[in-house]
Amino acid sequence: MIWNKEMECADRETMRALQLERLQETVKYEYEHVPHYAAKMDKAGVKPEDIVTLEDIALLPFINKEDLAENYPTGLFAQPMENIVRIQSSSGTTGKPKIIGYTKGDMEDWGEAVARGLAMCGAGPNDTVHVAYGYGLFTGGLGAHAGAETLGATVLPMSTGNTARQIMFMQDMKSDILCCTPSYALTIAEAVERAGIDPADLQIRAGLFGAEPWTQSMREKIEKGLGIRAHDIYGLTEITGPGVATSCEANNGMHIQEDLFYPEIVDPNTLKPLPPGETGELVFTTLKKRGVPMVRYRTRDICYLMEGKCSCGRTSVRMSRVFGRTDDMLIVKGVNVFPSQVETVIAKFNELTLNYKILVDRKGGSDSIELMVEFAEGLIIDDIDFVENMRKRVEHALREILQIGCKVRFLNAGTLPRSEGKAVRVEDRRKYE
Ligand code: ADP
Ligand code: ZN
């Protein structure tokens, strides 16, 4: 089902005209309501009237995570608190949390964006949507919740954790659609298997998974483990929360709700815009938000854009899977390493699970990187030759992809802590020196 045909299937010219109109309004509004950004525009010598075409967006200064930190907590708010009906905040992976306020209209648009995503995974008003993202300041739970309400579905506001209870509700309440992080979906799938439940006996048929990077192999594991179709949902608190983009049944990138969020890809070094198909940093401008509008917000997420009509019938621009974020990127011995590259290697070995942790350290002035990864459940490791042979194969495969040596330490199944929200894949001990 397509939730909003007019917006999701608009022809390019109509969509671009709407985007230009909304961009002009947003820039004028931002200039008039957010002194910090107005000062940035003045410094760059650009006025709202200078935005005549969509391409003129490149004249505007960026908003960085640092701008939010400098104006913590509410310095970038464009409305007084009496018009703000909700506060959310990012999980604050680094530094101070980012505080975002929503007007009533912003909340409606957020629900609309997620409802479109839920419809992409085949959900409708007759379905029960099981929300196992965390509820609270984190946008995952309440974002999915708003979307399910807009859709008119029945919401199960489970929040995260207590996996046995999640499964009980899934069975007893006949959940149709699951929303949680992909790493938690994997945790649930593992628990379903351990409980001896046949996934075919669960009514659940699709899921919206996001809030962290994941790979195609993880998708396959989730789909098989729960007997469902897995969709990717992307978003960030600063722009609204989940629902900025979602993948449809074609599973070929995520449709961006581009009447609400205008995407650009820029070269993270030169900050020059890049054409569709080229990988770089994703930048978003909100086109309707009034609480905390964002102009050219640098997400730090790495991906590329795809244009052209999708086989599902939607015409909206799609973004590729997120390969990682520049602040997740490790620089080890001068080489760039993304956790997702390591995950791709692990996925090639049936003997291993996707539960892993990367340890980075520095001793005697030299960086070292080590992968801790679990053997698959049921594998009996009593043969030293087998383990040594596995180690050689995995270390070789890692070197091929990463271009640097990475030691491997094998653990027994079930040793590493299981994720209930965003999985923590990296421990960089170099920071604590
Ligand atoms: P943070 O994690 O920065 O504290 P958020 O909770 O707002 O704040 O998370 C937003 C970030 O999560 C995005 O910028 C992106 O890095 C990551 N993210 C969200 N959805 C996805 C997804 N589907 N795939 C990959 N990464 C995602
Ligand atoms: Zn599509």
Side-chain angles (χ1 to χ4, degrees):
M1 179 182 56
I2 297 179
W3 181 248
N4 188 332
K5 276 220 169 88
E6 193 191 343
M7 291 302 159
E8 297 177 80
C9 306
D11 62 71
R12 286 322 294 159
E13 268 166 43
T14 313
M15 180 49 70
R16 284 175 63 84
L18 178 69
Q19 287 177 319
L20 176 60
E21 186 189 316
R22 290 185 174 174
L23 174 67
Q24 288 169 327
E25 272 167 23
T26 299
V27 174
K28 185 164 181 282
Y29 177 85
E30 182 89 9
Y31 192 73
E32 286 167 0
H33 292 80
V34 184
H36 176 79
Y37 194 74
K40 283 185 101 151
M41 280 177 66
D42 287 344
K43 201 166 158 215
V46 49
K47 292 266 174 288
E49 309 79 78
D50 296 335
I51 308 304
V52 181
T53 68
L54 271 178
E55 284 66 35
D56 293 335
I57 196 170
L59 302 170
L60 293 161
F62 292 95
I63 300 184
N64 289 298
K65 304 213 176 219
E66 292 73 29
D67 290 296
L68 277 158
E70 276 167 34
N71 291 280
Y72 177 84
T74 58
L76 297 185
F77 280 38
Q79 285 289 320
M81 275 302 177
E82 63 185 281
N83 295 332
I84 300 292
V85 299
R86 173 73 69 73
I87 297 288
Q88 302 281 161
S89 148
S90 84
S91 35
T93 318
T94 40
K96 277 238 168 83
K98 295 163 212 108
I99 309 283
I100 299 296
Y102 303 69
T103 63
K104 209 155 178 284
D106 296 341
M107 287 304 300
E108 279 163 19
D109 290 336
W110 187 14
E112 162 74 19
V114 181
R116 292 182 197 171
L118 280 164
M120 277 186 227
C121 73
N126 293 329
D127 288 318
T128 296
V129 177
H130 185 117
V131 182
Y133 283 110
Y135 276 65
L137 288 169
F138 168 55
T139 50
L142 286 158
H145 188 107
E149 277 190 349
T150 302
L151 192 70
T154 308
V155 198
L156 271 179
M158 300 298 300
S159 198
T160 187
N162 199 339
T163 307
R165 190 184 53 187
Q166 301 275 1
I167 296 171
M168 184 180 84
F169 268 78
M170 246 177 225
Q171 290 175 307
D172 297 348
M173 294 311 295
K174 305 203 170 8
S175 310
D176 299 291
I177 308 288
L178 174 65
C179 303
C180 62
T181 61
S183 57
Y184 192 43
L186 210 58
T187 304
I188 296 176
E190 250 184 21
V192 163
E193 188 184 358
R194 211 169 303 124
I197 299 165
D198 181 352
D201 292 339
L202 296 172
Q203 179 151 316
I204 196 133
R205 61 173 200 275
L208 270 188
F209 306 115
E212 62 185 4
W214 50 313
T215 52
Q216 178 62 24
S217 11
M218 191 139 161
R219 174 196 297 269
E220 285 158 18
K221 288 229 155 82
I222 295 169
E223 291 193 328
K224 192 157 162 272
L226 290 172
I228 61 173
R229 250 186 8 261
H231 295 249
D232 200 354
I233 181 164
Y234 170 89
L236 65 167
T237 315
E238 299 91 304
I239 296 305
T240 199
V244 172
T246 310
S247 67
C248 66
E249 68 267 22
N251 182 19
N252 181 20
M254 293 178 266
H255 288 279
I256 296 175
Q257 304 308 341
E258 46 169 350
D259 55 314
L260 302 173
F261 316 107
Y262 184 80
E264 295 173 86
I265 296 285
V266 301
D267 179 315
N269 299 315
T270 65
L271 300 181
K272 292 270 174 289
L274 294 174
E278 281 192 35
T279 301
E281 183 180 331
L282 182 61
V283 170
F284 272 113
T285 299
T286 60
L287 294 177
K288 267 188 86 190
K289 265 178 95 191
R290 291 297 176 256
V292 187
M294 287 286 172
V295 177
R296 303 196 89 199
Y297 182 71
R298 289 185 59 188
T299 65
R300 310 281 159 165
D301 291 324
I302 305 294
C303 69
Y304 60 88
L305 296 180
M306 290 175 254
E307 283 183 342
K309 191 169 174 179
C310 177
S311 57
C312 73
R314 293 178 183 84
T315 53
S316 39
V317 167
R318 281 159 288 155
M319 59 184 270
S320 69
R321 169 184 296 289
V322 174
F323 304 114
R325 41 200 223 180
T326 50
D327 38 11
D328 258 7
M329 188 182 78
L330 291 160
I331 303 180
V332 184
K333 296 182 182 163
V335 173
N336 300 349
V337 174
F338 282 107
S340 61
Q341 293 176 299
V342 175
E343 189 170 312
T344 318
V345 170
I346 299 172
K348 290 190 186 136
F349 294 89
N350 287 331
E351 299 90 339
L352 304 176
T353 71
L354 287 180
N355 293 300
Y356 66 95
K357 191 143 193 185
I358 301 164
L359 279 180
V360 188
D361 213 342
R362 178 177 290 142
K363 285 202 186 96
S366 165
D367 289 341
S368 66
I369 175 164
E370 184 179 20
L371 168 69
M372 298 200 292
V373 59
E374 287 181 6
F375 273 125
E377 197 147 0
L379 207 64
I380 316 270
I381 331 280
D382 53 2
D383 183 346
I384 292 184
D385 288 344
F386 166 77
V387 176
E388 279 319 305
N389 183 32
M390 269 300 287
R391 190 189 317 283
K392 270 204 197 111
R393 286 168 59 210
V394 180
E395 286 182 354
H396 179 76
L398 283 169
R399 181 180 279 280
E400 293 244 292
I401 288 228
L402 305 181
Q403 311 297 328
I404 49 166
C406 174
K407 271 205 264 171
V408 175
R409 196 190 325 167
F410 294 115
L411 304 170
N412 288 326
T415 321
L416 287 170
R418 291 303 186 255
S419 163
E420 294 185 344
K422 294 192 191 225
V424 183
R425 302 293 195 194
V426 177
E427 190 176 322
D428 192 345
R429 296 195 175 143
R430 294 176 299 180
K431 288 179 187 153
Y432 310 116
E433 268 186 358

